[in-house]
Amino acid sequence: MIAQQIVNGLMLGGVYVMIAVAFTLAIGVLNFLNFSIPGIFMIAGMVSWAALKSGQHWLLAFGLALVASAIIGLSVYLLTYRPSSDSDPEVPLVSSLGFLVLLENLVVLWLGSDQQSFPALIADFNFRAGSIIVGGAQALSLALSLAFVIALSISLHVTNLGRQVRAIAESRRTALVLGVNVGSVVPRVFVLGAVFTGIGGILFAISYLQVSSTMGESIGFKGISAMIIGAWAIFGARSLAGF
């Protein structure tokens, strides 16, 4: 029983990783705790469900969900972060929380507050190892999450945009002196975080076949926890390596 719960937690961890990456991009690069992320997660799942329900192909449905996520991420930048980027960090934080409330209520008005059943797009198959059962959809979700995170990590180290993002994370003032166009890079960080969040929402819907207007709240808090634990583990490993 314990082994099965560990496996279940590992499968769900793939979704938490995507949310943790989005939070890390916002905090690590911009020093901004973006509370709109759970709302974007929810929007991706609900838009996917609504598009599929209307008869759209799953590729179009997921594309629309990611476009909606990117638009919302850019809107959060334009309406919350940019006007108050020189203020205390709490100011854009509260504004982003308002975005979360707004998104949830808009979805309730549009699609209702009931939990909806997401159509099964992947054949129901399981892997068995003794008494342990691993769902095929959950395993695929975990594999895709890890692939996206690895791709992002490589991109941050080898691409020009990645180097600019890391420069801003180290010191915005130094990045400006070095010629980094901060005004151009920061919106892309918001969009990138929103797209990662949207992918997480889609993977959650595919894996657990349910969506609702409040699906992002608990996932968001757990994503923050995953981010904190991951940062603590990395810091601890580096500290040990220094001895």
Side-chain angles (χ1 to χ4, degrees):
M1 181 64 71
I2 295 178
Q4 181 65 61
Q5 292 304 316
I6 292 174
V7 170
N8 293 341
L10 182 63
M11 297 299 104
L12 186 56
V15 176
Y16 294 156
V17 164
M18 303 298 290
I19 307 302
V21 166
F23 276 118
T24 301
L25 285 172
I27 295 178
V29 179
L30 309 173
N31 192 31
F32 169 45
L33 183 56
N34 187 357
F35 272 116
S36 70
I37 286 175
I40 297 173
F41 177 91
M42 176 271 299
I43 286 291
M46 295 299 292
V47 169
S48 299
W49 172 80
L52 290 171
K53 185 180 178 182
S54 67
Q56 304 300 322
H57 190 273
W58 64 270
L59 281 174
L60 178 59
F62 295 162
L64 290 173
L66 294 181
V67 169
S69 300
I71 291 173
I72 294 172
L74 185 59
S75 299
V76 172
Y77 164 73
L78 294 173
L79 299 176
T80 66
Y81 184 81
R82 190 172 72 171
S84 56
S85 58
D86 296 329
S87 305
D88 292 333
E90 292 80 6
V91 176
L93 182 153
V94 173
S95 300
S96 68
L97 183 60
F99 247 96
L100 171 60
V101 176
L102 174 64
L103 292 173
E104 288 183 345
N105 282 278
L106 286 176
V107 168
V108 169
L109 292 173
W110 176 35
L111 299 172
S113 59
D114 295 335
Q115 183 169 283
Q116 306 293 342
S117 297
F118 198 84
L121 302 177
I122 301 175
D124 186 16
F125 65 98
N126 298 316
F127 302 102
R128 293 180 178 271
S131 61
I132 298 176
I133 302 174
V134 179
Q138 288 83 0
L140 178 61
S141 174
L142 177 62
L144 289 174
S145 298
L146 293 177
F148 283 121
V149 172
I150 292 171
L152 175 63
S153 179
I154 294 173
S155 298
L156 289 175
H157 285 84
V158 303
T159 66
N160 185 49
L161 176 61
R163 287 188 287 268
Q164 291 177 341
V165 169
R166 289 189 289 117
I168 294 172
E170 289 291 334
S171 172
R172 177 174 296 204
R173 181 174 299 177
T174 303
L176 285 169
V177 172
L178 294 174
V180 175
N181 188 348
V182 176
S184 173
V185 174
V186 171
R188 285 185 273 181
V189 172
F190 271 86
V191 171
L192 181 60
V195 169
F196 259 74
T197 303
I199 294 172
I202 292 170
L203 292 179
F204 178 87
I206 293 174
S207 300
Y208 299 97
L209 304 180
Q210 58 184 19
V211 292
S212 71
S213 60
T214 59
M215 62 183 281
E217 293 181 358
S218 61
I219 293 290
F221 288 118
K222 292 173 183 176
I224 293 176
S225 301
M227 176 194 67
I228 294 171
I229 293 172
W232 176 83
I234 293 173
F235 178 77
R238 290 179 175 175
S239 299
L240 289 174
F243 284 112

